[in-house]
Amino acid sequence: MTDQSHTRFSVALNVNGVKRKTEVRSADILLDVLRNNFGLTGAKPGCLNGDCGSCTVLVNGWPIKSCMMLAVAASNTNIVTVEGLKGSATQRAFIEKNAFQCGYCTPGFIMNIEGLSAIHPDADDSIIEEWLQSNICRCTSYEEIKAAVYKVLGKKPEAGR
Amino acid sequence: MESIGRSVIRKDAVAKVTGAAKYTADLKTVGSLYAKLVTSPYGHARILSIDTSAAEKVNGVHKILTGKDTNILTGEEIKDRPILATDRVRYHGEPVAVVIADTLAIAKQAANLVNVSYSPLPVIRSPKEAYQQGVPLVHEHLGDYEKIAEVFPKPGTNICNHTKIRKGSMEIGWAKSTVVVETEVSFPPSDHCAMETRSVSAEILPNGQVIIHSSSQVPFTIKKMLSSIFGLNQGKITVHTPLVGGAYGGKSAIQLEFIAYLASSAIGGQKVQLINSREEDFITSPVHLGLDAKVKLGCDAEGYLQAAEITLLFDGGAYSDKAVDMSRAAATDCTGPYQVENLWCDSFCMYTNHPYATSFRGFGHPESTFAVERAIERLAEKLGMDPIEFRWKNAIRPGQTTPTQVILNESRIGNVRRCIERVRELINWEEGRRIEITPERIRAKGVSCFWKNSNIDTNAGSGAILKFNEDGTVHLNCGVIEIGTGSRTVLAQIAAQKLGIDVDQIYVEMDIDTSSTPEHYKTVASRGLWMAGRAVLAAAEDAIGQLLNVAAQVFRVSLDDLDIGKGFVFLKDNPARKLALKELVYGYVYPNGNAIGSQVIGRGSYTLRGMTFLDPKTGKGVPGPDWTVGAQAVEVEWNKRDYTYKILRAVTVIDAGTIINPKLAQGQVKGAMHMGLSFASREGFIFGPNEVVETTQFRTYKVLRYGENPDYTVDFVVTPSRETAYGLRGIGEHALIGMPAALANSLSTAAEVHLNRLPLTPELIWRMKTGGVR
Ligand code: FES
Ligand code: FES
């Protein structure tokens, strides 16, 4: 690495419906720019490695692990973070179903479910599982999160398995 | 307006679903500098040299500290751990140097350029190996370390604590035993894996004021430790802890705080942030301990336990931290919730060349319970008795004594038998505990009991302040950290109930500031609601006293004539004569302008009573105020052909005393069960040559993910405690405790083989079943 890598470029990012200009290094990940440059700390670092999903945001409607995307690659996209939601069904369901404890994984799960419910409004259990296995919650039993997803998708809770 | 028994929405709910919730690393300050650790790539090695010259040349580097700059030993019980390694590293991931730079990217770049040369040393790979004669010592100077009186290290060995439990007579016990079994269990260290990695910042103001922000369960202890280690007046130190992103015991250790403080002080007090990477959080910061254990149990022909001999060798890793206390706690409850008249237990905390351990949810109990419950399962089997019946028969009851010879009453022990009876119903035990669904697929059930006391400092306590606003709303200020349990919400319910107002009228800030928040010992040991609940009750009583005093003057009656409720102070014999709280909370003003009374500020504090240190020879003593007990069951479906299995159901019945918030209580219990199953089924570090940890990422260190969970059933038995607010009991940790044993018991039944190791992977079952040969 040379000092060159600390040089900054100007980029414009479209975040939560607002076009915002900022300075980034070419190596800066989207997560760090959202958090450090814009103060949008809802997306959390959990592993910076794509393993935990706590950094999930929507990019053009798809849940993306913002630790795995360079900030420069996100210009000309539409980025939505948890701060961009305004009392969404997922947020309400999380409160109603007690789907969090420490809350650290919560923005990531919520953004993933926001993407899921838009892209697969009729998702069955196997699709839900495939999507939500990309996030880790260490506090809850996942039953509470499952109840919240079901609520968002309008699915009936099944009895046992 | 009842607040007790209602599933009130958590006070932090909206913040947590909107991203507004702030955790330590979310608090950004312009001008903060960043620190990055250089850590050991070996499990045990001599440091030959450290060359920082290339790293210092990187633009933007302010300072690089090594062990030479920080020659101080730390440790709450035994001062055995250097802040940065000096001549030698004792575990993979140990901090060796710290780089302080303008940005994290620069700090990382420079950290990569710090050139440390090592010469590897022989390693201690397990507590069993550590216990052998003639093996290398992890700490040669153990005898020279400063320590508290209640730990018993043995200089010249790798033993950093030895707890002895001696009760009854082993001779009589074995003589009465007609059936005897011996079981050995073992499992490696693992990790807490809180989703928020540990993170701190430190700053020293020109007037000497030290300001720490830390993702911690113990901000008040951080203050005391910084004070004692660096000789600072406690008033000069303020520790802030905002919301914490999961802890599970792992954030009760103090480590990064020391490094950040030294880093800040080395650069003139500027603010320095130090945040663990996930890899560092796995191994550099303390882990969950491992165990090698041996249990010998005997019972008579009717199935009553007569004798137990238990040897626990805990893997405390390279430094003692809280593992020494966990080894003691495990000993105090070593039999599980069963009556055993004749008992001998030796519990050792061993030094090894593994990452060092600190508190983990259950504090030594999930570990020792796995050992003893596996032995109980075998004993019942050998005797030919149903394992649930065996447990029910031996379940400990009021009037009997614990391993440390505490005489029990109902308030202290609750109702173990009732929990067992209910679990039996809920898991449908009668249908049979091993059913062949198809020739390949076997369904099987296993059970376990649990109990746990707190084992914290004998004088641990808590304080609370209730401060009224002019409109009658209240701020609750107390030192229990919001680590996810919802305790601060439940404490608001307790305050609301006592003050007779709606819980919505009570406001709870989520961050702790040790300079203005009343102290809560530590947010550990399921003692948050237990102790702070009492403090909040006392504060509410104090506030009520002040309110009634003013009202008594207004009405010209005596205090006995008054009562409080529904937002009013009123006359008992004429409730229509009343004053709204808001007419009293800032004092009462008469029509002519005269005022009496003043702002109501309720104050309360509480300290545990009647706790004692343990007798070093017999273990006799009172380790905590009460036990939370319960029974658990797991049902699995195991595949005979490929040895894989699915966990179908898990059941917990816990005697939780009075439930203040049912939804939150359910969540705590299920979350703990889940963590226990994750630990038991797939977690545990894999070590390579020189005890290098090979699994420091979630792609190699597996935890349960969405959909891999079974169905969870939770039910409560209610034996109120007589000592706590409204009869509640601690429940944060307990449902983890029996899960590993219940899972192992179910899989052992399914596969018809004794599974005494963790994690319970299909490969382990295959090895045990076939000897590892195809
Ligand atoms: S921080 Fe991005 S996946 Fe973990
Ligand atoms: S709520 Fe704590 S990690 Fe999910």
Side-chain angles (χ1 to χ4, degrees):
Chain A
M1 224 194 268
T2 65
D3 280 350
Q4 197 65 42
S5 67
H6 300 295
T7 313
R8 290 169 181 274
F9 305 86
S10 177
V11 293
L13 294 177
N14 205 331
V15 187
N16 298 332
V18 182
K19 196 151 194 128
R20 301 179 71 166
K21 264 204 144 114
T22 189
E23 306 271 300
V24 304
R25 296 179 316 131
S26 50
D28 276 342
I29 54 175
L30 177 59
L31 174 66
D32 285 345
V33 171
L34 290 171
R35 290 172 55 83
N36 301 341
N37 299 28
F38 299 147
L40 296 170
T41 56
K44 305 283 186 227
C47 67
L48 302 183
N49 201 27
D51 292 338
C52 77
S54 65
C55 61
T56 305
V57 299
L58 294 182
V59 175
N60 292 336
W62 284 81
I64 293 289
K65 290 171 174 169
S66 64
C67 71
M68 302 298 280
M69 185 176 209
L70 292 176
V72 286
S75 57
N76 297 319
T77 66
N78 274 315
I79 303 162
V80 181
T81 70
V82 71
E83 290 91 345
L85 304 181
K86 295 282 171 269
S88 78
T90 315
Q91 291 172 307
R92 293 197 306 273
F94 263 62
I95 294 181
E96 184 188 318
K97 301 298 178 190
N98 195 29
F100 55 87
Q101 289 180 23
C102 78
Y104 197 81
C105 70
T106 311
F109 267 101
I110 287 179
M111 296 319 289
N112 194 349
I113 294 166
E114 285 285 317
L116 171 73
S117 60
I119 292 164
H120 291 291
D122 301 317
D124 60 15
D125 275 350
S126 75
I127 293 178
I128 299 174
E129 243 170 63
E130 193 184 333
W131 277 57
L132 295 196
Q133 287 205 341
S134 67
N135 294 51
I136 298 174
C137 176
R138 192 66 168 162
C139 294
T140 72
S141 72
Y142 294 122
E143 262 190 15
E144 301 86 350
I145 294 175
K146 184 177 187 174
V149 187
Y150 271 38
K151 168 106 190 171
V152 172
L153 296 177
K155 289 167 79 82
K156 293 241 173 324
E158 92 259 53
R161 49 174 89 195
Chain B
M1 211 162 338
E2 284 290 310
S3 288
I4 304 298
R6 260 179 56 204
S7 291
V8 165
I9 302 256
R10 306 171 60 110
K11 296 278 186 189
D12 52 4
V14 172
K16 283 181 172 172
V17 301
T18 55
K22 295 286 183 208
Y23 302 79
T24 301
D26 297 338
L27 308 165
K28 306 275 170 195
T29 337
V30 179
S32 170
L33 301 182
Y34 294 83
K36 179 70 192 169
L37 298 177
V38 177
T39 62
S40 162
Y42 292 103
H44 197 190
R46 192 156 298 290
I47 298 174
L48 301 176
S49 64
I50 304 179
D51 179 4
T52 57
S53 54
E56 271 156 15
K57 289 198 190 96
V58 176
N59 267 337
V61 169
H62 288 242
K63 189 92 188 173
I64 300 173
L65 298 179
T66 67
K68 278 204 314 291
D69 308 301
T70 66
N71 211 348
I72 299 169
L73 291 176
T74 68
E76 241 181 282
E77 272 65 24
I78 305 174
K79 288 203 179 359
D80 59 1
R81 194 175 62 79
I83 295 173
L84 295 171
T86 48
D87 54 332
R88 175 173 164 195
V89 287
R90 294 183 172 88
Y91 72 94
H92 176 210
E94 181 164 358
V96 173
V98 58
V99 177
I100 305 131
D102 281 333
T103 68
L104 189 54
I106 296 170
K108 278 184 186 166
Q109 183 190 353
N112 284 334
L113 294 172
V114 172
N115 192 357
V116 188
S117 76
Y118 297 96
S119 151
L121 293 166
V123 283
I124 299 288
R125 288 167 305 192
S126 72
K128 226 176 184 172
E129 185 178 341
Y131 191 70
Q132 304 307 310
Q133 302 267 327
V135 292
L137 296 180
V138 180
H139 291 267
E140 286 95 348
H141 304 297
L142 182 51
D144 301 338
Y145 295 150
E146 243 180 81
K147 68 170 197 75
I148 61 164
E150 292 77 38
V151 288
F152 304 95
K154 273 218 180 82
T157 73
N158 285 312
I159 298 170
C160 61
N161 195 15
H162 180 190
T163 307
K164 297 178 199 169
I165 305 287
R166 309 285 185 258
K167 182 185 163 192
S169 148
M170 295 318 291
E171 222 173 298
I172 296 174
W174 295 127
K176 283 187 174 171
S177 299
T178 50
V179 185
V180 174
V181 294
E182 242 185 276
T183 299
E184 284 194 39
V185 308
S186 85
F187 50 86
S190 53
D191 197 44
H192 310 80
C193 303
M195 294 316 297
E196 178 204 24
T197 62
R198 288 132 168 133
S199 103
V200 303
S201 71
E203 177 176 17
I204 306 164
L205 302 182
N207 67 359
Q209 188 76 28
V210 177
I211 300 174
I212 305 283
H213 284 81
S214 174
S215 164
S216 175
Q217 294 171 262
V218 297
F220 297 95
T221 316
I222 295 173
K223 177 176 80 174
K224 291 176 202 173
M225 293 291 271
L226 284 175
S227 156
S228 73
I229 287 185
F230 299 110
L232 301 164
N233 173 333
Q234 287 189 10
K236 271 204 175 334
I237 306 166
T238 302
V239 183
H240 295 268
T241 296
L243 289 168
V244 172
Y248 326 110
K251 289 173 181 166
S252 63
I254 304 172
Q255 177 195 35
L256 303 183
E257 292 81 358
F258 296 133
I259 300 175
Y261 169 76
L262 285 173
S264 174
S265 88
I267 54 165
Q270 246 181 294
K271 183 166 179 177
V272 177
Q273 281 209 336
L274 175 57
I275 300 172
N276 270 353
S277 67
R278 175 54 61 188
E279 290 77 0
E280 288 161 344
D281 213 56
F282 263 116
I283 57 170
T284 294
S285 289
V287 304
H288 169 211
L289 42 59
L291 176 70
D292 291 336
K294 200 149 95 186
V295 179
K296 188 176 166 192
L297 292 180
C299 69
D300 60 24
E302 275 142 67
Y304 288 104
L305 284 166
Q306 295 297 344
E309 192 180 309
I310 299 170
T311 309
L312 304 170
L313 289 169
F314 283 101
D315 187 344
Y319 299 104
S320 58
D321 203 81
K322 301 305 285 181
V324 287
D325 304 83
M326 277 187 280
S327 68
R328 183 189 63 238
T332 63
D333 288 339
C334 62
T335 53
Y338 306 109
Q339 160 70 359
V340 185
E341 209 50 65
N342 307 297
L343 169 64
W344 173 290
C345 170
D346 276 321
S347 181
F348 297 97
C349 185
M350 303 303 300
Y351 284 124
T352 65
N353 290 113
H354 288 161
Y356 71 102
T358 192
S359 316
F360 177 81
R361 202 172 191 175
F363 208 60
H365 291 66
E367 300 78 12
S368 58
T369 300
F370 178 64
V372 82
E373 287 282 346
R374 285 296 297 139
I376 283 184
E377 193 77 0
R378 280 197 78 169
L379 189 58
E381 184 183 307
K382 199 164 167 189
L383 176 74
M385 185 181 277
D386 177 289
I388 284 201
E389 191 187 335
F390 186 89
R391 287 175 171 88
W392 187 88
K393 232 176 171 168
N394 287 288
I396 200 160
R397 297 189 306 281
Q400 297 177 326
T401 60
T402 70
T404 65
Q405 303 176 46
V406 175
I407 302 170
L408 296 172
N409 60 29
E410 196 185 54
S411 174
R412 277 180 161 164
I413 192 64
N415 196 336
V416 186
R417 282 192 165 172
R418 185 66 203 117
C419 294
I420 297 174
E421 290 158 11
R422 189 72 183 119
V423 155
R424 181 192 202 124
E425 290 163 23
L426 288 170
I427 197 74
N428 198 6
W429 190 255
E430 298 311 326
E431 115 193 303
R433 60 190 178 105
R434 189 175 188 281
I435 300 170
E436 302 214 10
I437 307 284
T438 70
E440 260 179 19
R441 287 161 51 219
I442 317 283
R443 279 196 181 191
K445 294 166 187 162
V447 293
S448 168
C449 293
F450 64 81
W451 70 343
K452 182 184 179 292
N453 207 326
S454 46
N455 275 280
I456 52 178
D457 287 355
T458 53
N459 64 344
S462 191
I465 293 172
L466 291 165
K467 197 171 67 176
F468 276 88
N469 292 311
E470 213 173 356
D471 62 0
T473 57
V474 180
H475 293 283
L476 165 60
N477 186 0
C478 69
V480 178
I481 314 292
E482 186 42 84
I483 52 178
T485 55
S487 297
R488 295 176 73 80
T489 302
V490 178
L491 290 167
Q493 290 179 253
I494 290 170
Q497 181 77 19
K498 189 76 201 168
L499 292 172
I501 61 177
D502 197 275
V503 68
D504 291 343
Q505 302 285 99
I506 300 200
Y507 289 81
V508 195
E509 304 305 324
M510 288 298 156
D511 40 77
I512 305 296
D513 165 342
T514 57
S515 297
S516 59
T517 309
E519 177 157 340
H520 178 75
Y521 162 71
K522 296 176 177 181
T523 303
V524 298
S526 305
R527 289 296 94 140
L529 299 179
W530 213 106
M531 298 194 302
R534 285 291 299 263
V536 166
L537 270 191
E541 273 157 18
D542 184 39
I544 290 169
Q546 297 171 40
L547 292 164
L548 297 195
N549 239 320
V550 178
Q553 293 177 59
V554 177
F555 289 131
R556 295 180 203 173
V557 297
S558 81
L559 289 175
D560 304 343
D561 297 326
L562 295 169
D563 206 350
I564 185 167
K566 300 197 171 143
F568 293 92
V569 174
F570 53 88
L571 285 181
K572 281 180 190 162
D573 61 1
N574 182 10
R577 284 196 71 198
K578 59 186 182 182
L579 284 165
L581 292 192
K582 63 171 180 244
E583 295 176 80
L584 296 167
V585 292
Y586 265 50
Y588 179 81
V589 183
Y590 287 96
N592 74 350
N594 283 172
I596 55 167
S598 52
Q599 184 187 10
V600 174
I601 302 171
R603 162 196 75 86
S605 57
Y606 177 77
T607 294
L608 289 178
R609 289 187 304 250
M611 308 301 109
T612 68
F613 299 124
L614 305 184
D615 181 309
K617 292 202 187 72
T618 63
K620 189 169 183 204
V622 185
D626 66 3
W627 283 260
T628 300
V629 302
Q632 301 184 292
V634 168
E635 182 178 6
V636 292
E637 185 174 307
W638 177 67
N639 188 312
K640 224 175 184 170
R641 188 180 52 82
D642 61 9
Y643 300 89
T644 59
Y645 64 90
K646 207 170 147 83
I647 310 173
L648 302 176
R649 292 186 69 196
V651 179
T652 295
V653 179
I654 180 168
D655 191 341
T658 305
I659 309 283
I660 313 280
N661 186 318
K663 210 178 220 177
L664 291 182
Q666 285 261 349
Q668 277 310 295
V669 174
K670 284 185 186 173
M673 292 165 79
H674 188 75
M675 186 168 258
L677 287 176
S678 186
F679 161 60
S681 63
R682 61 202 67 202
E683 295 182 35
F685 287 129
I686 296 173
F687 293 93
N690 203 271
E691 296 312 88
V692 167
V693 182
E694 291 181 341
T695 48
T696 60
Q697 295 180 332
F698 286 122
R699 58 190 59 185
T700 46
Y701 184 106
K702 303 284 188 188
V703 298
L704 275 178
R705 293 196 182 238
Y706 181 96
E708 295 172 333
N709 54 297
D711 285 329
Y712 293 100
T713 306
V714 173
D715 201 10
F716 299 107
V717 165
V718 179
T719 311
S721 157
R722 287 200 290 269
E723 279 191 82
T724 58
Y726 300 106
L728 62 83
R729 290 177 186 273
I731 56 165
E733 309 163 276
H734 301 78
L736 191 154
I737 296 172
M739 278 289 119
L743 181 63
N745 290 342
S746 67
L747 285 168
S748 297
T749 300
E752 299 176 302
V753 63
H754 296 296
L755 299 170
N756 292 335
R757 275 187 265 157
L758 300 175
L760 294 153
T761 58
E763 183 184 334
L764 175 79
I765 307 174
W766 169 70
R767 279 186 194 286
M768 298 311 293
K769 199 69 188 158
T770 63
V773 210
R774 262 197 185 273

